[in-house]
Amino acid sequence: MRRIRILAEGTTEEAFVKEILSPHLQTLAIYAEVTVLSTKVVRSGGKFRGGVTSFAKFESDLRRLLADRQADCITMMIDFYGLAGLGFPGWDRLPASTARQKVDYMEQMLAQYFNNRRFIPYFALHEFEAMLFADISQLKTVYPMLDEKTLTQLKAARDAVPSPEDINLEQPPSKRIRALVKEYDKVTAGNLVLLEVTLPRIRQACSHFDQWLTRLEALA
């Protein structure tokens, strides 16, 4: 069995790996183990988990995973949204191009920086919640009181762009959802919705995510 270690931005991504991604990969004899970014170490020895606060802290956590020689692959689930000002290599030379080209560029910069053949960088374009827009109507399975007007507005945001991953930095997916669904909580609801959306539909709608998952599957 192949073994993958995934550095996740937060507990929502952690749950996604455990509940959706890992069961799929296990069918290919690939075991996925997820670690959440530690954002702060307190004196008692405990840690606050989740969120990218600086490249230095991200690098520290990633290098700990890279030190695991028993892992066949080290990868990550980090949102592209919010990277500005965190010191990631190449950000100051980010090309003035499409969002997809920018993400590809930043992934290349990370691959060059860490220079490890087992490392597969992945930035979610633009953030985790983009996957919900693969079938945003499934929000109603968790929030049954949602009215059709709200769903129509959310569907319009999806229909205005080629892919859920193209919902932009100025109004990223999570902000669009919270603006209309005040009760939305990504930790408790996000993966419940995605279980209803289903992994095949997410892959069909989100090509950058699909490309990453295809690379992981190739390890089999």
Side-chain angles (χ1 to χ4, degrees):
M1 178 172 280
R2 297 288 187 175
R3 183 164 168 259
I4 295 175
R5 299 201 64 180
I6 302 174
L7 183 62
E9 179 160 341
T11 54
T12 306
E13 291 83 359
E14 178 186 34
F16 176 78
V17 172
K18 290 181 176 180
E19 297 169 14
I20 298 175
L21 200 59
S22 182
H24 167 71
L25 291 172
Q26 283 180 15
T27 66
L28 301 172
I30 299 173
Y31 172 69
E33 180 180 347
V34 61
T35 300
V36 178
L37 276 167
S38 58
T39 56
K40 183 180 179 182
V41 180
V42 295
R43 289 185 180 181
S44 64
K47 294 181 179 179
F48 294 103
R49 300 194 312 157
V52 183
T53 56
S54 72
F55 175 71
K57 290 180 180 177
F58 164 82
E59 179 179 9
S60 177
D61 280 7
L62 186 64
R63 289 202 181 278
R64 276 194 287 272
L65 300 191
L66 288 169
D68 181 357
R69 299 298 178 185
Q70 302 304 311
D72 297 284
C73 171
I74 309 299
T75 188
M76 63 192 220
M77 287 191 74
I78 304 294
D79 291 346
F80 180 67
Y81 176 73
L83 290 184
L86 299 183
F88 275 74
W91 186 266
D92 58 340
R93 301 183 302 278
L94 198 64
S97 54
T98 67
R100 289 171 182 268
Q101 290 170 331
K102 289 177 180 179
V103 166
D104 287 342
Y105 170 79
M106 289 301 298
E107 290 175 353
Q108 291 169 14
M109 290 298 100
L110 273 193
Q112 291 175 19
Y113 182 89
F114 288 100
N115 190 28
N116 189 306
R117 62 177 181 78
R118 296 179 300 139
F119 177 48
I120 299 178
Y122 169 68
F123 286 113
L125 200 170
H126 287 86
E127 63 176 356
F128 178 83
E129 272 87 355
M131 291 190 286
L132 274 66
F133 281 85
D135 185 1
I136 197 64
S137 65
Q138 296 300 333
L139 270 177
K140 199 154 186 172
T141 63
V142 179
Y143 301 107
M145 299 306 293
L146 281 184
D147 56 65
E148 286 304 314
K149 180 180 178 181
T150 297
L151 285 176
T152 298
Q153 288 178 283
L154 289 170
K155 288 176 182 177
R158 162 64 185 95
D159 293 341
V161 291
S163 160
E165 294 175 311
D166 294 307
I167 297 176
N168 62 25
L169 289 171
E170 289 72 28
Q171 286 184 293
S174 61
K175 288 188 178 180
R176 291 176 188 260
I177 295 172
R178 290 191 184 102
L180 296 170
V181 186
K182 304 301 182 184
E183 305 88 352
Y184 175 71
D185 183 299
K186 67 181 291 182
V187 175
T188 58
N191 286 291
L192 291 174
V193 175
L194 289 178
L195 283 166
E196 299 299 324
V197 175
T198 74
L199 188 59
R201 192 155 192 176
I202 294 168
R203 298 184 72 166
Q204 183 180 28
C206 302
S207 61
H208 187 66
F209 169 80
D210 178 58
Q211 289 166 6
W212 171 64
L213 183 51
T214 299
R215 291 186 69 185
L216 300 185
E217 292 169 334
L219 294 168

